[in-house]
Structures are given as structure tokens and as C-alpha cells.
Amino acid sequence: MNILEIIDAKKRGRELTKDQIDFWIKGVMSGDVENYQTSALLMAICLVGFSEEETYNLTQAIINSGTTVDLSSFYDLSVDKHSSGGVGDSTTFIVAPIFAALGYKCAKASGRGLGHTGGTLDKLESIRGFNINLDKDQFKKQIEDIGLAVISQSKDMCPADKRLYALRDVTETVDNVGLIASSIMSKKLASGVKNIVLDVKCGKGAFMKDLDAAKALAKEMVKIGKRANKNVVAVVTNMNYPLDECVGNSLEVYGALRVLEGERNNLYEVAITLTSELLNSMGVENAKQKCDVVLNNGKALEKFKEMIKAQGGDISLLNKGYLLSSKYVYDVITDETGYVQNIDPMGIAGTVTMLGGGRLKTTDTIDLYCGVELQVHVADHVSKGDVIAKIYSNAETPSAIDRVKKAIEIGQFQVERPKMILAVEH
Ligand code: URA
């Protein structure tokens, strides 16, 4: 067997065997397969397609390229949530504490933000002192003790995914359902968790722009999980608008805090759906009511604070004064009267990047305390002179005002409030 035969087989539309996929990924890791050969194969996969069987075998080959985590001491209670990436998405800070408050064990390994999507680790690091680098034993002990931990993805887990992703990113080969599904699911399966809820974002601010593609990805990932004997449910959610009013790293911690303290908005709806759908699939009765109880009685907020404290963060900083404390604050004032038709997630995320709060390449250093706080939702009525957003910045950037204004489209027609939950795949 050699890599040229494998590329040729895919180019001619043949299904790759498990042995061929293992040979390829082993070659990626050893260096025997060159980056240009992998790039050619990835492009052939995008053009010809990748079957369910191939996707499953690639997932397993990626897992086998590195180490896995053993959570057998609390396996049946172990839960995790994964988002395919969006704007204003801080559901982890609500979902994980709800699970922990209900007695489940939430073991979460997260990443940093790249491009328009924010990263959980950056958001957590806006809380002074927070340590994202627990070792395996500290991670497990914290979950056993308080029910939740969020740490950085280990470099030893799924190293082949890192190599493949770096090539996909620069060869326009990201958006293939099989490649995305194997990339996400390899990391989820290697993390050793039994019960997994996937938030598949759909819309202008997501990888999957249309509902059919998002559903196909959701189905594929659920199938991979089931075949690996995991309990997996996927929820397709609306990413045509920023999920929360707060976008930007420290701002998103504040956005999640508001929900933990009682606000009931779109972020709440998505978070409560993710938790209750996973609990339903685990056979828990009245799951949504149970999640609401721990949100309403402050138990979830307590768990969030326990986690921050356990990982060295200063909980006295969990307030608006600290999390929204940039040097400059600009009001975005509308000069129109009408209804909010649309809030472009890419326009808002692009503004945060311009303010210094987002990365264009993985090595960029970012400002964790800048962002946009929307004051309106889609379908709201606004009058000329109303403040429709606030911009938090540590540099003088009045030009951001126009960018945010452009992202918030106002028109004469009354529109419906958008649905946040688009589909659920079991
Ligand atoms: N997120 C991942 O981890 N991998 C992909 O391929 C796309 C999104």
C-alpha cells in the first residue's frame, strides 16, 4: 500500500478501506505522508464525498493518533457539551453548572477562539487567576469533588486532528460533513465521556449555513457516537444572529452570569434545551423542570463560582463593574425608527476582532476586555435616538460605531422573533 494509490482510489470515487485510512493517518503522524499529499487527498474527499463508514474509520484513526482520558470512576454520570462554533455563545458557563448542580459530572476540554468564533478558554481567562491547565489527576479530582471542570484540550489528544485541521484551514477543505464530523467526534470520544450533547450551529455565523447541511452534520455525529457506544444527542440552533446580547470575551462571561442570576433570553433558551435534551436521552424525567429548578434557586450559579474558585479565579470579579470595564464605552445610536430586521453575527464578531478581541491567527494575542453589548433583539421596535448597542474598547475606536450600526438592520416591517431551536437529532 502507498499514499499515491490511496489518493488515486479516492479521486476515482472509491470508498477507502479502514486499512487505507489507518495507513494515511499513521503517515501523517510519522511524516511519511507529505502535507501536499494529504492536501490532495482532502480535496478529493471534498469533491467525491466521504461515506459513513469512512467517517467512522477516520474518527477512530484520529483517536488512535494520541492519548485518551479514562473517566471510568464516574463514567455513567459523565456529561459533555460541544458547540460547532458561533457568536455570543457562552452556553458552556450555564450548561456545565446546571449539570453539576444536578449531580452529574461535567468534564469539558475546550479551545481558544479563532476567526469569528469565540473560545471558552479566552473567556475564562478574563477572570483574573483562572487556570486552564490542570493535569489529568487534578482535572478528575475536581470533577469528582465539585462536579465540573473546564480545561485546555491536551496536546497529546488527537494530534492528527491538529495536523489535518491546519491543512484544511489553508486548502479550503473545512466544510465537508465527514471531515467536520470526524474532527469533532474524535475529540469528544477521546475525552472519555459517556453522555454528549452537540450544539450544531446553523446560519450566517456558523460553518453550516443551511438547515439541511446542519442536520446532515448532526445526524452523522450522532451516528458516530452511537457506534462508539456513547449516548449522543445533537441540537441544531439558530446562528443567524449573535446568540447573546454580549459578544466579546469578558462580556460573554457577564452574559452567562446574567442567565445564572435570572435573565431569561435566547442564551437561556439554548442552554436549557441542550441540558434538558441530553438528560431526556439519559432517561431523566421532567428534565427541563429540573434544570430550571437549579437555575432559579441559585444552585447552578453556586457551581459556576465553585469551579472558578477551584481553578484559581477570583470570584469577587464576577460582576459588571469588572467584566465590562474597558477604557472607552461608545453608545451606538440609531437614526431610524422601525423594527430590527436582522443582526449580522459576522458584522458584530468582525467589530470585536477589530477592537482586538478576536484572533486572525492562532498566535495572535487578544484583548479580553472589549466587545459589543447589544441593547436590542431581532423584531424589537426602535425609535430614532435610541441606544441600540454599546461598544466596550480599550483604544479610541469611534469607527466601530458605524460597523455595529451597519450590522443592525432596521426596517419598516414587523418581523417575527426568530426560533432558536431548529432541530433535534437523537
Ligand atoms: N470544529 C472542529 O473541531 N473541527 C472542525 O472540522 C470544524 C469545527
Side-chain angles (χ1 to χ4, degrees):
M1 193 183 309
N2 69 53
I3 191 66
L4 295 183
E5 285 166 13
I6 297 173
I7 298 170
D8 185 58
K10 187 41 66 186
K11 184 179 78 182
R12 292 177 194 287
R14 282 186 222 128
E15 184 174 64
L16 300 183
T17 63
K18 179 175 176 352
D19 286 349
Q20 285 174 317
I21 290 173
D22 286 344
F23 179 92
W24 168 36
I25 296 304
K26 281 190 184 134
V28 167
M29 293 311 297
S30 67
D32 289 344
V33 172
E34 300 284 352
N35 284 347
Y36 49 79
Q37 294 170 319
T38 291
S39 301
L41 184 50
L42 288 167
M43 185 55 81
I45 288 170
C46 285
L47 296 176
V48 170
F50 212 46
S51 70
E52 246 176 77
E53 189 65 19
E54 289 173 308
T55 302
Y56 183 78
N57 288 332
L58 178 59
T59 307
Q60 293 300 333
I62 295 173
I63 294 171
N64 294 337
S65 71
T67 58
T68 55
V69 182
D70 171 19
L71 298 180
S72 50
S73 55
F74 47 79
Y75 184 64
D76 285 337
L77 291 177
S78 64
V79 290
D80 190 9
K81 170 242 141 193
H82 179 86
S83 157
S84 63
V87 178
D89 176 13
S90 50
T91 49
T92 293
F93 306 144
I94 303 162
V95 167
I98 291 177
F99 283 137
L102 289 170
Y104 297 93
K105 304 288 181 193
C106 189
K108 180 116 190 66
S110 291
R112 296 205 177 273
L114 184 61
H116 72 281
T117 62
T120 300
L121 299 183
D122 299 318
K123 295 173 202 176
L124 284 169
E125 281 186 338
S126 72
I127 306 161
R128 198 168 50 223
F130 193 91
N131 175 19
I132 56 161
N133 293 313
L134 305 182
D135 66 31
K136 269 186 195 171
D137 291 340
Q138 291 169 319
F139 180 57
K140 270 199 254 179
K141 176 152 186 353
Q142 183 175 317
I143 298 165
E144 271 159 1
D145 289 349
I146 65 168
L148 75 171
V150 181
I151 57 163
S152 171
Q153 269 152 14
S154 152
K155 287 188 179 56
D156 311 328
M157 205 193 279
C158 300
D161 177 64
K162 291 185 187 73
R163 298 197 187 181
L164 292 185
Y165 198 88
L167 288 177
R168 288 168 58 207
D169 208 20
V170 293
T171 56
E172 271 307 325
T173 53
V174 171
D175 63 348
N176 172 274
V177 167
L179 294 178
I180 298 178
S182 55
S183 166
I184 291 176
M185 289 309 289
S186 58
K187 288 172 285 199
K188 293 294 107 183
L189 300 183
S191 74
V193 169
K194 178 178 178 187
N195 304 289
I196 303 163
V197 59
L198 303 163
D199 180 0
V200 180
K201 303 284 184 199
C202 173
K204 291 192 199 105
F207 277 120
M208 297 290 134
K209 308 286 178 212
D210 66 79
L211 188 56
D212 286 345
K215 278 186 180 168
L217 176 61
K219 277 200 174 94
E220 189 85 24
M221 292 197 288
V222 170
K223 270 189 209 147
I224 296 173
K226 295 233 156 109
R227 198 163 156 189
N229 290 321
K230 305 286 176 178
N231 174 44
V232 185
V233 51
V235 183
V236 180
T237 64
N238 194 335
M239 190 31 74
N240 275 316
Y241 323 94
L243 174 54
D244 189 29
E245 295 91 357
C246 292
V247 185
N249 294 289
S250 64
L251 279 84
E252 290 181 39
V253 175
Y254 174 64
L257 202 59
R258 287 202 308 199
V259 173
L260 291 167
E261 288 174 343
E263 175 100 20
R264 299 293 173 254
N265 53 10
N266 289 340
L267 179 61
Y268 158 79
E269 190 188 340
V270 170
I272 204 86
T273 306
L274 295 172
T275 43
S276 52
E277 285 295 341
L278 186 62
L279 294 179
N280 282 336
S281 73
M282 292 162 74
V284 174
E285 281 176 17
N286 303 321
K288 181 167 181 300
Q289 283 99 310
K290 286 182 175 146
C291 296
D292 268 327
V293 167
V294 293
L295 261 186
N296 293 335
N297 67 13
K299 290 254 161 67
L301 175 61
E302 244 169 64
K303 279 293 167 195
F304 183 59
K305 288 185 177 169
E306 273 181 57
M307 178 187 81
I308 302 292
K309 205 165 162 194
Q311 293 186 233
D314 183 347
I315 54 168
S316 72
L317 303 177
L318 291 174
N319 57 63
K320 187 171 184 177
Y322 174 76
L323 296 167
L324 273 66
S325 61
S326 62
K327 203 162 160 195
Y328 302 92
V329 181
Y330 298 99
D331 283 345
V332 180
I333 296 170
T334 182
D335 13 66
E336 292 174 80
T337 292
Y339 296 92
V340 179
Q341 310 284 308
N342 189 15
I343 303 177
D344 176 19
M346 300 307 278
I348 301 296
T351 308
V352 176
T353 302
M354 184 196 111
L355 297 172
R359 276 187 199 83
L360 294 173
K361 26 184 216 320
T362 46
T363 48
D364 288 344
T365 311
I366 56 170
D367 176 356
L368 300 175
Y369 303 94
C370 60
V372 177
E373 185 189 13
L374 298 165
Q375 306 288 313
V376 291
H377 293 112
V378 172
D380 281 357
H381 183 267
V382 295
S383 302
K384 185 175 172 176
D386 283 352
V387 177
I388 52 173
K390 285 177 178 286
I391 297 168
Y392 294 82
S393 174
N394 286 305
E396 243 179 291
T397 40
S399 59
I401 294 174
D402 255 3
R403 284 186 77 131
V404 172
K405 229 189 241 183
K406 268 195 202 117
I408 304 176
E409 192 194 319
I410 294 167
Q412 295 313 306
F413 299 106
Q414 197 158 5
V415 293
E416 304 240 315
R417 274 203 181 264
K419 262 174 50 181
M420 297 312 294
I421 309 303
L422 305 179
V424 180
E425 299 292 340
H426 296 275

